[in-house]
Amino acid sequence: MSSLVKCPHCGLRPREEFTIRGEVATPRPDAGADEALWFDHVYLRDNPRGEHREYWHHSGGCRRWLVLTRNTLTHETSDVVDASTLKLGERA
Amino acid sequence: MRYSALSLLGNAFSKNKNWKPAWRNPDPKPHYDVIIIGGGGHGLATAYYLSKVFGVRNVAVLEKGYLGSGNIGRNTTIIRSNYLLEGNNPFYEFSMRLWEGLEQDFNFNAMVSQRGVINLFHSDAQRDAYTRRGNAMRLHGVDADLLNRDQLREKLPFLDYENARFPIMGGLMQARGGTVRHDAVAWGFARGADQNGVDIIQNCEVTGIDRDGDQITGVQTTRGAITCNKLAMAVAGSSSHVAKMVDMRLPIESHALQAFVSEGLKPFIDRVVTFGAGHFYVSQSDKGGLVFGGDIEGYNSYAQRGNLACVEHVAEAGMAMIPALSRVRILRSWGGIMDMSMDGSPIMDRTHLSNLYFNGGWCYGGFKATPASGYCFAHLLANDTPHETATAFRMDRFARGYLLDEKGVGAQANLH
């Protein structure tokens, strides 16, 4: 469930310690990139029913950005990793 | 049968044995002029106005569960039209005017109660913001009154005026706001639409959408294939899920919102009151239970339930506003899925497919909009042009930069 999140640095912590950024649909485009790319990045979402990868910030703890793999239908979290372990620009 | 005092009396004399179901339970026909996906408030209202005002009667409403099982039966029943922005205000006021005549119009007791909605403010800056909103409302012909602390004390003596952190300085009141019995709204629209010949088909989930080029030809459902001339989506909460069937990605996230009802109490809160220093809104039902709610959960969710962190947060906000709530017991809580759009405002528009129409993104403000949403969506379906009060709810406003962001928080769905 989403009441407790297993931070890879701090262990099992309550949801209140986290700030949720949510799905990052596409990698952030270059500053000069086409408007359509920016529109997609800023506004459009996959918003799947089921498995969902999303950014959470442990703002009330270690202040690390995490990537959760969480099921939006059951609220089960299957995986949590530090966001820095993803390659730069890799789709979360 | 038309409901009236006479019909009530007649049925009483025949020992209430002759009441008929309020709507039919038909099997789907092979073809309809218009298919509306979603038998919630907005879908039923659309069918009602489509058949009544716009003369389109060969219509089906497809509902995956039972009628009224979604957000129309899960909200906190508040109606109001206290919006700031030009694109929003006339639409919500149109909705308020429809609410005011709704029960006579669809011959059903929806218990529309214009008991007044009061938004509290707690700082000079907030008073200025509310004054601005009140003035904007008045410029649009909507009633708005700024109450100072003494005027507020007369109306709501039980608030925590001397709260050390968030003292209550006053409130913005819309006296015409209030509450409506939410289930009755679904039932009234369903009955009205049914009487006009609309087929309301329950337990019929759309599993696929058939296309021929940029034309929709029909839908695949759990009760077989049905063809149509026009297809309308009114599935707020699951918009992204259904839109995916036609490869659409939307500026929408689905989030869970909880609502609560307390044990029955004697008459205590005779208006709708909202906290200005946190997110909390409360009214008292005719049965005596306090009906209240707060923020969405914050994470994407398609589960119709929330978590304890939000329960605690809502209870804390309620306590900060009304300390007398401390020993009130919560009877039930439940959750619904909100279509959170990227600017906090709804979308009602045509789509990239020529005969597919979209209605969604209502965030957690869909209930108050039910009649106007139905009316305007029916207008769009019948005429292919938006109703004059719904011209700002375009799908492409995000790409064009014409956002309708009442709160001014940007493209972060969980902050709206």
Side-chain angles (χ1 to χ4, degrees):
Chain A
M1 304 301 281
S2 306
S3 289
L4 292 168
V5 177
K6 194 169 182 186
C7 172
H9 309 292
C10 312
L12 212 56
R13 306 300 304 169
R15 178 255 172 276
E16 291 96 316
E17 289 187 2
F18 296 84
T19 308
I20 303 160
R21 173 71 179 92
E23 167 183 335
V24 177
T26 52
R28 189 183 178 83
D30 293 331
D34 192 60
E35 271 187 22
L37 273 179
W38 272 104
F39 166 63
D40 195 290
H41 172 73
V42 175
Y43 292 113
L44 295 186
R45 300 289 182 266
D46 286 338
N47 191 24
R49 179 192 280 182
E51 196 164 276
H52 189 229
R53 297 189 79 196
E54 56 198 14
Y55 281 128
W56 286 46
H57 185 218
H58 198 179
S59 47
C62 59
R63 300 196 61 76
R64 295 294 296 178
W65 280 96
L66 311 174
V67 174
L68 266 72
T69 307
R70 201 177 52 84
N71 189 309
T72 57
L73 201 54
T74 64
H75 293 171
E76 274 172 309
T77 305
S78 54
D79 189 41
V80 189
V81 296
D82 191 291
S84 68
T85 61
L86 296 177
K87 286 190 200 121
L88 194 63
E90 182 188 346
R91 189 165 170 160
Chain B
M1 182 179 61
R2 245 190 105 70
Y3 294 150
S4 65
L6 205 64
S7 76
L8 199 66
L9 204 65
N11 276 291
F13 278 118
S14 58
K15 299 189 174 169
N16 289 315
K17 283 178 182 163
N18 297 325
W19 289 108
K20 297 280 183 298
W23 55 84
R24 297 166 295 132
N25 197 9
D27 288 322
K29 288 189 270 186
H31 178 85
Y32 291 94
D33 290 343
V34 176
I35 289 180
I36 298 166
I37 311 176
H42 291 221
L44 294 168
T46 304
Y48 175 75
Y49 289 111
L50 205 51
S51 58
K52 182 178 167 148
V53 180
F54 299 96
V56 183
R57 293 181 168 226
N58 186 18
V59 177
V61 178
L62 308 184
E63 166 56 43
K64 75 172 172 183
Y66 61 90
L67 197 145
S69 54
N71 292 336
I72 186 69
R74 291 167 182 268
N75 56 74
T76 47
T77 79
I78 299 166
I79 60 166
R80 57 186 173 84
S81 56
N82 53 1
Y83 281 75
L84 170 74
L85 299 179
E86 277 182 36
N88 275 330
N89 192 300
F91 172 81
Y92 288 101
E93 177 58 13
F94 177 49
S95 200
M96 183 60 81
R97 288 182 197 279
L98 287 174
W99 283 121
E100 285 171 337
L102 187 67
E103 294 166 300
Q104 294 303 319
D105 189 57
F106 68 18
N107 180 232
F108 203 88
N109 179 12
M111 294 163 67
V112 177
S113 162
Q114 293 182 287
R115 58 184 69 183
V117 172
I118 298 177
N119 305 141
L120 304 179
F121 56 79
H122 308 261
S123 67
D124 290 338
Q126 203 170 23
R127 181 184 52 212
D128 290 349
Y130 280 23
T131 306
R132 181 180 174 223
R133 182 149 58 90
N135 284 334
M137 288 161 65
R138 287 193 160 210
L139 284 170
H140 279 109
V142 182
D143 66 309
D145 294 292
L146 202 71
L147 306 178
N148 64 30
R149 200 193 250 226
D150 292 336
Q151 291 167 312
L152 203 57
R153 270 187 197 276
E154 278 177 33
K155 296 185 194 306
L156 306 168
F158 46 78
L159 300 177
D160 187 9
Y161 289 88
E162 309 303 334
N163 186 307
R165 179 67 183 85
F166 303 112
I168 293 165
M169 295 174 64
L172 180 66
M173 178 171 76
Q174 186 187 14
R176 285 163 63 243
T179 60
V180 180
R181 166 95 166 92
H182 53 190
D183 298 314
V185 176
W187 300 334
F189 276 128
R191 175 169 166 270
D194 180 84
Q195 285 176 348
N196 293 337
V198 172
D199 280 358
I200 297 164
I201 300 159
Q202 303 178 66
N203 301 310
C204 179
E205 182 173 1
V206 172
T207 53
I209 296 174
D210 298 328
R211 266 198 285 183
D212 181 13
D214 75 337
Q215 282 270 329
I216 302 284
T217 55
V219 290
Q220 298 292 329
T221 77
T222 49
R223 295 179 67 174
I226 313 172
T227 58
C228 63
N229 298 343
K230 290 182 176 181
L231 183 64
M233 281 173 58
V235 290
S238 298
S239 289
S240 300
H241 181 71
V242 178
K244 207 175 165 186
M245 295 176 190
V246 286
D247 305 319
M248 275 169 80
R249 284 173 78 222
L250 299 172
I252 285 173
E253 290 181 9
S254 298
H255 286 259
L257 175 69
Q258 295 187 77
F260 308 84
V261 65
S262 78
E263 59 187 330
L265 303 169
K266 287 185 178 178
F268 168 38
I269 300 175
D270 59 355
R271 293 164 203 266
V272 180
V273 193
T274 75
F275 194 35
H279 205 171
F280 181 79
Y281 35 93
V282 61
S283 65
Q284 188 166 18
S285 79
D286 291 3
K287 265 197 299 194
L290 300 180
V291 183
F292 56 96
D295 267 328
I296 53 174
E297 300 278 313
Y299 44 81
N300 286 40
S301 174
Y302 281 92
Q304 287 177 312
R305 63 176 191 280
N307 274 308
L308 288 171
C310 248
V311 177
E312 185 179 26
H313 184 76
V314 168
E316 284 169 352
M319 282 283 298
M321 186 170 102
I322 309 174
L325 296 184
S326 67
R327 287 192 290 171
V328 172
R329 279 165 293 196
I330 293 177
L331 199 62
R332 288 188 294 127
S333 69
W334 61 94
I337 317 168
M338 311 292 113
D339 248 23
M340 299 302 296
S341 70
M342 287 296 154
D343 61 358
S345 294
I347 299 165
M348 193 190 301
D349 203 354
R350 305 178 62 174
T351 64
H352 67 295
L353 297 169
S354 62
N355 56 346
L356 176 68
Y357 300 77
F358 180 83
N359 179 349
W362 290 96
C363 300
Y364 40 85
F367 178 68
K368 72 178 88 69
T370 304
S373 168
Y375 196 104
C376 295
F377 199 36
H379 185 285
L380 180 69
L381 279 160
N383 302 327
D384 272 331
T385 53
H387 185 262
E388 58 180 357
T389 63
T391 54
F393 303 150
R394 304 299 301 275
M395 183 82 83
D396 66 354
R397 68 174 184 265
F398 302 92
R400 290 186 303 123
Y402 286 88
L403 302 187
L404 275 174
D405 193 341
E406 282 276 337
K407 215 165 157 187
V409 295
Q412 180 67 31
N414 61 2
L415 295 183
H416 283 288

